[in-house]
Amino acid sequence: MNRTFKTVASSDISISELMLPNYTNFSGKIHGGYILSLMDQIAFACASKFSGNYCVTASVDTVNFLKPIEVGELVKMKASVNYVGKSSMIIGIRVEAENIQTGIIKHCNSSYFTMVAKDSAGKSALVPGLILSNNNDVRRFYNCIKQISLKKEKDLHEEEFDYTSKESLENLKNYNIKLEFL
């Protein structure tokens, strides 16, 4: 299987960026799409650093925007490899914003990006194994195993909705919709 192993700490990476007015949305807060772009960049850097290969984003797990980010705040992102498969890695990312005048730091969001290592021919490349060095590493790894298991279970049990069935359409009455077929 994997011949080399690396510690979680060897994958640690962080970035900081001052939030400027040109990053705002129509409500004057920092645009979520801009934050997602930064998260994708740090996930790429973390995965590439750990694997030694070019990496691509395979999926992004839920990103809940917990608190808005304001113009003038310093955004800090921290990332590390939390789980490895054969060619894939789950990168945990934490986003915090610091008011540089008051020093108050707020947790804005966390997410998990699944990244896949690619070789020079564009084929999936093996990644090093993961050395778990402390309880926090074990907790994060185990949480990834649970998340993968939940995804697989959901995929197995997902029902195919028969949108042509009158009975299926009747079941939609409990939702805030109105059916108007032309």
Side-chain angles (χ1 to χ4, degrees):
M1 187 120 182
N2 292 332
R3 291 191 175 131
T4 61
F5 288 82
K6 290 185 175 181
T7 63
V8 171
S10 73
S11 74
D12 289 350
I13 194 165
S14 61
I15 60 170
S16 298
E17 186 170 334
L18 184 65
M19 293 296 105
L20 303 175
N22 57 320
Y23 303 152
T24 59
N25 58 24
F26 291 110
S27 67
K29 308 297 182 195
I30 300 304
H31 195 284
Y34 183 72
I35 298 301
L36 285 171
S37 173
L38 289 176
M39 292 173 76
D40 193 47
Q41 289 176 41
I42 196 170
F44 168 82
C46 179
S48 296
K49 176 183 175 185
F50 182 80
S51 70
N53 288 291
Y54 176 79
C55 294
V56 295
T57 306
S59 71
V60 179
D61 279 359
T62 304
V63 179
N64 292 317
F65 292 93
L66 305 173
K67 295 186 177 147
I69 299 172
E70 307 290 337
V71 170
E73 290 184 325
L74 184 64
V75 166
K76 298 177 183 179
M77 294 188 184
K78 301 173 194 171
S80 64
V81 173
N82 290 356
Y83 172 90
V84 296
K86 290 179 184 173
S87 62
S88 66
M89 298 154 281
I90 298 177
I91 311 300
I93 303 169
R94 181 178 174 93
V95 179
E96 297 175 338
E98 179 181 359
N99 181 311
I100 57 177
Q101 294 174 324
T102 65
I104 295 173
I105 297 172
K106 60 186 175 187
H107 176 210
C108 298
N109 65 44
S110 293
S111 187
Y112 299 94
F113 279 55
T114 300
M115 308 296 288
V116 177
K118 298 291 185 176
D119 64 18
S120 58
K123 302 222 184 264
S124 295
L126 290 178
V127 299
L130 193 60
I131 298 171
L132 307 177
S133 304
N134 56 53
N135 288 339
N136 207 28
D137 292 352
V138 173
R139 178 185 59 80
R140 288 178 175 159
F141 185 83
Y142 182 71
N143 284 341
C144 288
I145 291 171
K146 287 193 311 188
Q147 195 66 25
I148 292 166
S149 177
L150 288 171
K151 278 185 190 178
K152 287 180 180 176
E153 187 176 319
K154 180 182 176 248
D155 289 346
L156 289 173
H157 293 77
E158 197 168 278
E159 292 181 295
E160 189 171 318
F161 179 73
D162 181 4
Y163 59 90
T164 62
S165 157
K166 186 175 180 178
E167 182 181 320
S168 294
L169 293 176
E170 284 293 316
N171 288 332
L172 295 177
K173 284 184 178 180
N174 297 326
Y175 296 92
N176 188 22
I177 65 161
K178 183 177 181 181
L179 294 174
E180 290 185 353
F181 287 15
L182 300 176

